[in-house]
Amino acid sequence: MRFFSDNAAPAHPRVLEAIAAANRLDTAYDGDQWSAKLDGAFSDLFETEVKALWVTTGTAANSLALAALCPPYGAILCHRDAHIENDEAGAPAFFSGGSKLVLLGGDGAKIAPEAIAEACDRVRPDVHQVQPAAISITNATEYGLAYRAAEVAAIGNLAKQRGLALHMDGARLANALATTCESLADTTWRAGVDALSFGFVKNGGLNAECLILFRTELADEIAIRRKRAGHLLSKGRYLAAQVLAMLEGGLWLDNARAANAAAKVIASAAPARLVYPVEANEIFLRVSTDEATRLRGAGFDFYDWAPGEIRLVTSWDQEGEALDRLAAAIADL
Amino acid sequence: MRFFSDNAAPAHPRVLEAIAAANRLDTAYDGDQWSAKLDGAFSDLFETEVKALWVTTGTAANSLALAALCPPYGAILCHRDAHIENDEAGAPAFFSGGSKLVLLGGDGAKIAPEAIAEACDRVRPDVHQVQPAAISITNATEYGLAYRAAEVAAIGNLAKQRGLALHMDGARLANALATTCESLADTTWRAGVDALSFGFVKNGGLNAECLILFRTELADEIAIRRKRAGHLLSKGRYLAAQVLAMLEGGLWLDNARAANAAAKVIASAAPARLVYPVEANEIFLRVSTDEATRLRGAGFDFYDWAPGEIRLVTSWDQEGEALDRLAAAIADL
Amino acid sequence: MRFFSDNAAPAHPRVLEAIAAANRLDTAYDGDQWSAKLDGAFSDLFETEVKALWVTTGTAANSLALAALCPPYGAILCHRDAHIENDEAGAPAFFSGGSKLVLLGGDGAKIAPEAIAEACDRVRPDVHQVQPAAISITNATEYGLAYRAAEVAAIGNLAKQRGLALHMDGARLANALATTCESLADTTWRAGVDALSFGFVKNGGLNAECLILFRTELADEIAIRRKRAGHLLSKGRYLAAQVLAMLEGGLWLDNARAANAAAKVIASAAPARLVYPVEANEIFLRVSTDEATRLRGAGFDFYDWAPGEIRLVTSWDQEGEALDRLAAAIADL
Amino acid sequence: MRFFSDNAAPAHPRVLEAIAAANRLDTAYDGDQWSAKLDGAFSDLFETEVKALWVTTGTAANSLALAALCPPYGAILCHRDAHIENDEAGAPAFFSGGSKLVLLGGDGAKIAPEAIAEACDRVRPDVHQVQPAAISITNATEYGLAYRAAEVAAIGNLAKQRGLALHMDGARLANALATTCESLADTTWRAGVDALSFGFVKNGGLNAECLILFRTELADEIAIRRKRAGHLLSKGRYLAAQVLAMLEGGLWLDNARAANAAAKVIASAAPARLVYPVEANEIFLRVSTDEATRLRGAGFDFYDWAPGEIRLVTSWDQEGEALDRLAAAIADL
């Protein structure tokens, strides 16, 4: 029974159906009827005019956004646990032509405005040191915590004061919002976010993510960068159709709620072991090596996050039975 | 009736079925059972040990290969009509960190060994000039001509003598081989090709291409570069399954034969108008602006390639009726 | 007797004296009193407010300017004989992060507005093709021809219409102006030039060139790029002092006049052999292989430019005797 | 009285004389007689065959070396106080095409092998994380500490075990050796160093540094990278002559000894305030804001290194009187 990664889960049937329905002659690249609907669909969803570009990975979405928001000679402030620092093989530096990540601390991989201000203040304003140009936050964080809209807004305000752009890696934004019950608009552009990597693949998508630009004037440059990075698929309609299917009827939020609910079942089994409150579809538990071995022996698969800590991830399609068995197994440790 | 691009065509039903069949829980990235089969499947197909990495675009395949074959300070020799020069937004320079394309002439976008030798001889062997490091040829060429295995081998021999790597952009390799009836092995690694971008999307795939490495020692570096460029999809099984479906029972060759046959129907309608012999699924016709307007008026869509020249492209699924009507319309001009 | 390159000539004594005079304690990098005078000195010279940054090579000046004027995904239009294309090891692509040089023809390495317009028109305005962002012209050209101010202005006008930036590689700008007798202002910013690489090393300097920015708002970015490229010397005063010495009393123009006069002596010896009129300090002669051998046998050193063509270069310090002997030897061929 | 930076000091008279002596006609770039002597002179000095390339800045030397030792997708381990991290505007990432600096701790900016091993062990050996490829150490360190040959060798051994290249930033290597009295050979290549940035400018040079390659096979690639970065000066003889003058009669070591001796005078005045033992020409003192103000009021100039810490730097030409006055002023605080 796999609790290793939400990337392991299959795509939602409605996503597959949308792909099948898009399987007919249409214009290549992003000239098709599905791609043409993205800007409108996301503008409705976000209650403001946005530009939306499909890509196939969160790494591409993050790096394309950051390359437009940070010059090659600038720095991006992020948490030291951030995906862009630890799990993207240096992609932000590659896409931007050499920009630097400046690493911040913060509980639960959440960044506080104070940490940003301190990091900025440490940089001498001269040509010898790389000057901060952007902030990237992850919501839900790498520890599964959700930023409240007000928390994002505090960062957004600071960003504005300091002349920094603000990017949000929303690989699990749906899960965060399913917990906070705040609006997409409030949690992003109204809080000062300039660009958002909106994740769908971990949430029931097949291979389409979406880069949402609240500063719509960035779209032309990013469209060029997307092509130049080999990310303009020649049959883009299959990506656009997936994304539209995820939006249709709020499937993206339903899926996230289902995954979060599954996470809650596990979390409830061992409240004392929780490293952090569960606010998305990830559960981090304090578990000894011995206990981890016993869980694995019982057929559960998961990730060793840190010494004495394991990570369990639930998906939109998690079956009740496996969940109950895992919850019981944890409670029995 | 669309003869604009083979990218406009839908995916083959067996490709869609393969995606649906892969829609279950498996390991993320390329750790799944389908991805694990690629090396073996292509090694069988090419009659030698190869490494095969899925990607979603030909641009990514080309650029990843060239970045491994050419240092940032080196030059890649290619035809001036090459896709990497004209249609990839500078991707090779981006992926390689600044390498240069040196443009060669040659009828029908085909490169002759002499042109390569001359280009090399023009470069002073000093630090002031960018030194050639690799050759990239396109098969079938941008004008739809197929390289014979012996032609590739002549280039391969020269590459060896000059210490140059050899890359083949095989976006339409299937169509070329459907015409030459030569083997994949003879046309690629036995002729000195180091890396091949093997195209599937234009040939009935959905969004999976494959980079084939005959120098298998390049695979580790390219796997890193693929991740770093945002091209390691988190649910890679849907790409691998597509590719395996295209190989299964020779679907890749059947589709190419069908597209080529359709092209022959059109070509036969106007032999005197052909700019080049039709050896793949592209037909280049000498057509006046007036004539082009009449064809469009009759409901046919195509690409204005050059003054007085149009390009028509056929697909694996081309219906006989539209073909016959187009052939008639051309004959009637 | 060396007519190979003006880089072979020594530095002017006043340049050496200026270095010696600057050899005392002062602030590091460009915080010294000499560096502080550059903006003012060049603003006076150019009759407008400019920013001036010392660098040690023309390659650095060219590439820093172009990196600020052209995005990593843009193209720079230049002559196919341009130094940035042939003699800088791909530096523009390196500094800019992957930009592309689009090569134009034109007699005597001079670019005509028509050639620029045609090159732009050939580019489809889409994301697949690299879009032109800048023009770079060399004055004097690689064939020693001088642009008249009106010629530059014609290019400048076109640049403005097309939204292109305009850079001038002025490695031998002094020699050009010594011929045209036009003003620095008319030949550069009044004609639409945004940034100028003003050469001093070939003209009696030791190792200081100067990048002149007419768009002064570029200075901050370029200062960062200069540092990041390792071109912010820690004892910059020795560069600034050289440049100031070259400006002092018009030494830059005197030196150029001397070199041009020397070139005229040689040119007069063989008017029929001249490939182009001599408008700077380079003479291109039609000379057979045999004749070249005889000249070399007589002790003259020069560069084989092309089959049947040699290049001779004169310097600010050219002695009359060697010149006369060379003139005689050429006349005797 | 300036104790701000050794970059503020003038060049040694013998360096100026060497420049004047080189001021005659010779071959351009690095084809001159002075440049031709560098490999031999340094091979003698290091007791092994080396390749030596002049450059004008330590940043260029460091970055050129690291670009050859670390692929664009690799990581360089260095101290978090390292010059390459804090004072080079991101140059290593620029030259290498995007490589990453992984920051280590260590007292006095010295790196211990254990810190390196731990940093390596923290990296998962997969394509998602940037893999370590090189180590860069600074000798003397940013806190003026000298590595003993045995300490370098311990790092060198670890580097070999882990397959990492080893670079030494020797901006103040002369000062370090003046203290350790160990040999250049023992402290560098015999200890496993692959490439060394050998500093001369802070030590009495004018604007020439030298990159020393113990892995001589790297020279060709680095020579190309030097040109491509605009660091191949057209009149290189003035750089080579400077470097040779610094080597002649051991001037480099004499200058370093003089600067170190001056530092000792200051250090002796306030042993209890020393943050670290003084092993080069830098003195770091614990001094309150008030005390710093009083020192400045007395006419001394220096750098505020950190809260409660100042840095004083001495030079090869430090006059006894200013030193004595500073020592007295510090003692009086």
Side-chain angles (χ1 to χ4, degrees), chain C residues 27 152 240:
Chain C
T27 306
V152 179

Side-chain angles (χ1 to χ4, degrees), chain B residues 177-236:
Chain B
L177 293 185
T179 289
T180 65
C181 299
E182 296 182 309
S183 82
L184 270 173
D186 287 348
T187 310
T188 59
W189 65 274
R190 281 203 196 107
V193 173
D194 296 305
L196 164 72
S197 304
F198 199 159
F200 292 104
V201 175
K202 292 178 194 298
N203 192 28
L206 190 138
N207 58 14
E209 311 278 17
C210 222
L211 176 53
I212 310 296
L213 304 172
F214 303 111
R215 287 173 49 194
T216 53
E217 75 279 10
L218 297 174
D220 287 349
E221 174 184 340
I222 291 182
I224 295 173
R225 289 185 181 273
R226 177 174 66 170
K227 170 66 196 180
R228 188 177 179 241
H231 282 287
L232 181 63
L233 272 65
S234 46
K235 296 180 175 174

Side-chain angles (χ1 to χ4, degrees), chain A residues 8-9 11 23 57 229-231 235 237, chain B residues 8-9 11 23 57 201 229-231 237:
Chain A
N23 197 36
T57 63
H231 281 287
K235 296 179 176 175
R237 54 196 179 278
Chain B
N23 197 35
T57 63
V201 175
H231 282 287
R237 53 197 179 279

